[in-house]
Amino acid sequence: MTHLSSDFQNEELPNRARIVAQGRAWTNLIDGKFEPAASGRTLEMLCPSDGRPFCTIACSGPEDVNRAVDAARTAFEQSSWSKMTATERGRLLHRLSQLVMENFEELAALESRDTGKPLRQGEADITATARYFEYYAGAADKVHGETIPLPGGFTALTVREPYGVVASIIPWNYPAQIMGRVVGAALAMGNTLVIKPAEDACLSILRIAELAHDAGFPKGVLNVVTGLGEEAGALLSSHPDLDYMTFTGSPEVGTLIQRAAAGNHIGCTLELGGKSPQILFGDADLDAAMPVITNAIIQNAGQTCSAGSRLLVQQNLWDEVLERLKTRFEALIADRHDANADLGPLVTRNQAERVAGFMALAEDAGIPVLAAGTIAEDAPQGGYYAAPTLFGPVPSQSVLAQEEVFGPVLSMIAFSDEEDAIKLANGTPYGLVAGVWTGDAARSMRLARAVRAGQVYVNGYGAGGGVELPFGGFKKSGHGREKGFEGLYEFSATKTIVLNHG
Ligand code: ADP
């Protein structure tokens, strides 16, 4: 471990990322230049499949963060970017989308190795990332204002303007996709960006930033500084020269981000996870529902904000659903990322320990394990694997039913009727996504309206990346919306112009 700068006194470094003196180094991208942290410090990246180091990233400190914000400020106020038309910004994003697809295999393999997700999932993520750039490329010059009728010889109109310098703190579960939705929308709107990716997985973000550089974005428009959350992340989020901030991650860190935003009187978008219910009524098409319900909890080994982690089953269907899910869960295999199994390892040792802790707690509380998958026999010993597990019946107030496990753990809970289902669905602090499975159209709409969640799917779950669909939370799942046009507007402020023409 190297010596830490005097500005960073925290001795309690997480074990998920170790500071090392040197190594094969990925660098920051600041003001169009690729460079190591000013201190020379690096973090060693460990492959989740075997726990072995495979490269390093820059461990940024105050100097790097300050330079990145300064570069973004200069680019916003003084570079060709500030004069560029929305159509031209859209063209650059379109070029970036093309470059992502031209480098598809490399990016998918990188994302898969870095996060541990099966290659198949890495590929889906890169396709979605390119689609974000494509979508916002097309949207850039379709942002319209309003004219507002006023009495007495005035005409009023509104225009949407970029905030300016936006900071974005990104988690490790979907680095490329989350970068896609932030970069696509924020740059289409004309802002400049400083991204602080997660120290646990961030290589696709660095590579895509390099592609953005190749696509021709002016220097300073998109800056990436890697490093520890409690150092680089905290420095960036409290930087006094920011105009807006976005964060996706844990509720605990979300609180810190919102406090930092308040300190600078700026707004922020927070996406803080969920405990999303899938509600299965007696009249549902079980053949259609079972594979979707299973996938919604094992995708990315359950490390998905919108994972369908609670299955609410109408009581009379319990035995049949259990039998079907048991067969499915017992066939599931977790294996290394490049084996392309049903699921890969969890991202870090910390995360694997956290998930194991939830499972131990459930078993101590006497909650039965109804079914479990397996970890491949030849999966490397040092990897961070968790077998997919179905628990039930899970008491609705238990930790397992209330807290986000962020692992392949599904809680099965019985309900009696519609009213009971709604009560249970809304009975957690979260409200991100919900699924309703029923053959009754009127019931599906009643449920969709009654459930407090930012997205509700009827007879399905998730929608092919959902680039076009506003996404975000009710309650403690956060505030603000990403994706779609709402996500674009989120990165803008409305200016009202009033003309007195007598
Ligand atoms: P998780 O608990 O799932 O690892 P976190 O919320 O800790 O998720 O991390 C999400 C992002 O927030 C990462 O980029 C991480 O580096 C960053 N982060 C962690 N702690 C802080 C902090 N104190 N201030 C700002 N960013 C932070």
Side-chain angles (χ1 to χ4, degrees):
M1 192 180 289
T2 54
H3 181 66
L4 292 170
S5 80
S6 56
D7 300 71
F8 179 53
Q9 301 293 348
N10 188 354
E11 300 296 336
E12 298 280 312
L13 287 174
N15 70 13
R16 61 194 159 168
R18 286 186 288 141
I19 294 188
V20 295
Q22 57 198 13
R24 151 83 177 90
W26 287 78
T27 63
N28 287 331
L29 174 61
I30 300 175
D31 205 19
K33 291 196 269 309
F34 300 94
E35 49 192 57
S39 65
R41 290 179 304 149
T42 57
L43 293 169
E44 199 171 48
M45 302 299 284
L46 310 179
C47 177
S49 290
D50 55 20
R52 294 166 66 170
F54 69 104
C55 68
T56 65
I57 57 169
C59 182
S60 306
E63 202 176 314
D64 311 294
V65 171
N66 288 343
R67 282 196 310 106
V69 175
D70 289 350
R73 173 63 58 199
T74 305
F76 182 70
E77 288 178 0
Q78 292 167 27
S79 78
S80 55
W81 182 250
S82 59
K83 316 237 165 18
M84 213 176 261
T85 63
T87 309
E88 288 167 329
R89 293 197 300 269
R91 284 189 188 129
L92 286 178
L93 282 169
H94 195 254
R95 180 70 194 127
L96 177 56
S97 173
Q98 288 173 327
L99 285 178
V100 167
M101 289 315 284
E102 282 168 23
N103 292 275
F104 178 77
E105 281 172 23
E106 179 207 339
L107 284 167
L110 197 59
E111 189 77 329
S112 164
R113 182 173 194 190
D114 201 15
T115 60
K117 61 185 72 183
L119 184 60
R120 191 181 59 250
Q121 175 74 50
E123 289 170 351
D125 287 7
I126 298 306
T127 304
T129 306
R131 174 78 187 117
Y132 277 112
F133 297 138
E134 179 184 50
Y135 177 85
Y136 286 114
D141 60 3
K142 290 155 196 79
V143 176
H144 299 166
E146 296 178 320
T147 53
I148 303 172
L150 274 185
F154 296 96
T155 295
L157 55 96
T158 61
V159 289
R160 286 186 180 273
E161 297 200 346
Y163 278 117
V165 176
V166 176
S168 176
I169 296 183
I170 293 182
W172 43 260
N173 57 345
Y174 291 87
Q177 275 211 56
I178 295 176
M179 178 200 201
R181 72 195 193 203
V182 169
V183 168
L187 297 192
M189 222 36 248
N191 299 277
T192 57
L193 264 172
V194 179
I195 293 179
K196 207 304 278 173
E199 54 271 46
D200 300 320
C202 58
L203 303 182
S204 60
I205 292 181
L206 290 165
R207 181 70 181 109
I208 293 169
E210 190 175 4
L211 294 176
H213 182 257
D214 297 347
F217 281 91
K219 65 181 184 141
V221 168
L222 174 59
N223 307 277
V224 184
V225 283
T226 57
L228 296 170
E230 45 276 69
E231 185 183 24
L235 288 164
L236 177 61
S237 57
S238 58
H239 197 289
D241 199 24
L242 302 179
D243 298 304
Y244 195 75
M245 209 154 32
T246 72
F247 170 79
T248 302
S250 61
E252 296 75 25
V253 178
T255 305
L256 299 177
I257 299 293
Q258 186 146 12
R259 272 201 199 118
N264 285 320
H265 305 109
I266 61 171
C268 63
T269 303
L270 299 182
E271 199 266 85
L272 307 178
K275 192 72 193 175
S276 300
Q278 300 237 39
I279 310 165
L280 193 56
F281 282 92
D283 57 5
D285 176 351
L286 290 191
D287 290 339
M290 287 300 117
V292 177
I293 286 170
T294 309
N295 188 53
I297 189 62
I298 63 157
Q299 179 179 317
N300 209 26
Q303 303 165 114
T304 305
C305 310
S306 53
S309 55
R310 287 186 299 150
L311 177 59
L312 310 184
V313 183
Q314 195 152 26
Q315 187 66 66
N316 60 358
L317 217 57
W318 183 275
D319 290 342
E320 186 179 355
V321 170
L322 176 54
E323 197 185 335
R324 288 182 180 229
L325 275 183
K326 201 165 157 34
T327 311
R328 286 186 175 273
F329 266 67
E330 286 172 354
L332 294 172
I333 296 175
D335 202 350
R336 44 180 305 134
H337 64 283
D338 45 7
N340 240 344
D342 299 301
L343 63 161
L346 299 171
V347 70
T348 54
R349 181 172 305 286
N350 270 8
Q351 187 58 22
E353 285 170 359
R354 193 171 167 272
V355 170
F358 274 109
M359 294 213 216
L361 209 64
E363 289 184 39
D364 289 350
I367 302 173
V369 171
L370 299 176
T374 46
I375 296 168
E377 267 174 28
D378 55 355
Q381 284 297 317
Y384 315 129
Y385 299 93
T389 307
L390 176 67
F391 283 92
V394 177
S396 63
Q397 293 310 311
S398 63
V399 169
L400 205 58
Q402 291 289 320
E403 290 190 22
E404 189 177 42
V405 174
F406 233 52
V409 177
L410 182 59
S411 294
M412 205 164 145
I413 301 168
F415 70 85
S416 52
D417 55 16
E418 221 174 281
E419 199 185 329
D420 192 26
I422 293 167
K423 200 165 145 230
L424 286 168
N426 288 336
T428 76
Y430 293 103
L432 193 59
V433 176
V436 181
W437 295 89
T438 175
D440 180 337
R443 168 186 279 161
S444 71
M445 190 48 86
R446 282 195 299 275
L447 264 287
R449 297 303 302 267
V451 172
R452 299 274 292 160
Q455 286 188 341
V456 182
Y457 292 91
V458 175
N459 295 330
Y461 198 82
V467 170
E468 307 83 352
L469 309 176
F471 175 74
F474 281 71
K475 306 195 298 188
K476 292 212 163 34
S477 288
H479 50 72
R481 292 292 177 265
E482 297 180 281
K483 310 187 183 186
F485 261 73
E486 286 210 27
L488 184 64
Y489 297 156
E490 196 86 2
F491 289 105
S492 70
T494 299
K495 179 182 281 179
T496 306
I497 302 171
V498 183
L499 264 106
N500 179 351
H501 44 74

